[in-house]
Structures are given as structure tokens and as C-alpha cells.
Amino acid sequence: MLFLGLVVAALGAAMMTDATLRLARVNEGHRLPMTWGRFVVASPRDVTRRRVWAQAVSAIGAWTVLSSMWDYRAATPSMVAGAMTLIAAVALPVVAITSAHNRRLMNSG
């Protein structure tokens, strides 16, 4: 189950990468907010749908990792592994793509 959870989380990360790249293309020439804020060009409905599905798939993967490692006597390691899986699948692709997008804007202007 651990391997399945990691595969599902990787699928969620790939979906989030695709959705974030699409959002960056829509907002080409404009800065993207790193953590929160408004996009200059609103996210199209299909990109928003892709991002929501990616987050859901990533959450399922993280839950699978958490439940496959769960031990009632030592719950902390499994909770940390589940949280790290979710962060790696959702936050890392977004931060990496947003940073690269904003860096290109700074270098071109």
C-alpha cells in the first residue's frame, strides 16, 4: 500500500505540475503570487478544475501513505510521512514553477 500511495501522490504531483504550467501560460508577462494573492489573469475554469483534482488525488495518495504506515504506538512517523507526501505533491511543483516564472519576468524586464 505504501508504494501505491506514493504512485498516487506522484500522479497528483504530475497533475499539479500540468495545471500550474497552464496557469503560468495564461498569466504570461505577469507575476504569479507565490503563496496567496490574486492572479492578474483569472484562472480558466478547466485549469481550476485540474488544480482541484490534483489536490484531491494528492490527498488520497498522502492518506494512503499515512494509513499504510499507521502504528498506534508511534503515530508521529506515519503522520509526518503523510504530511511530507502531501507537501511534496502539492506545494513543491507550485513553488518551483512559480519561482521560475517570476524569475524569468525579472530577468527579461
Side-chain angles (χ1 to χ4, degrees), residues 62-79:
W63 183 259
T64 305
V65 167
L66 175 92
S67 63
S68 70
M69 295 179 63
W70 186 255
D71 182 5
Y72 290 105
R73 295 163 297 194
T76 304
S78 61
M79 291 191 314

Side-chain angles (χ1 to χ4, degrees), residues 8-99:
V8 170
L11 175 65
M15 291 169 64
M16 183 58 78
T17 300
D18 177 57
T20 306
L21 286 171
R22 288 172 187 257
L23 187 59
R25 265 184 259 140
V26 168
N27 281 281
E28 194 63 46
H30 303 287
R31 288 185 54 81
L32 295 177
M34 185 59 74
T35 50
W36 59 79
R38 290 187 164 268
F39 295 104
V40 174
V41 178
S43 177
R45 192 175 305 266
D46 69 316
V47 173
T48 302
R49 194 174 306 122
R50 287 172 189 267
R51 288 172 62 99
V52 168
W53 275 106
Q55 291 171 5
V57 169
S58 299
I60 291 168
W63 183 259
T64 305
V65 167
L66 175 92
S67 63
S68 70
M69 295 179 63
W70 186 255
D71 182 5
Y72 290 105
R73 295 163 297 194
T76 304
S78 61
M79 291 191 314
V80 168
M84 286 176 36
T85 303
L86 187 61
I87 290 169
V90 174
L92 290 181
V94 172
V95 169
I97 292 167
T98 302
S99 297

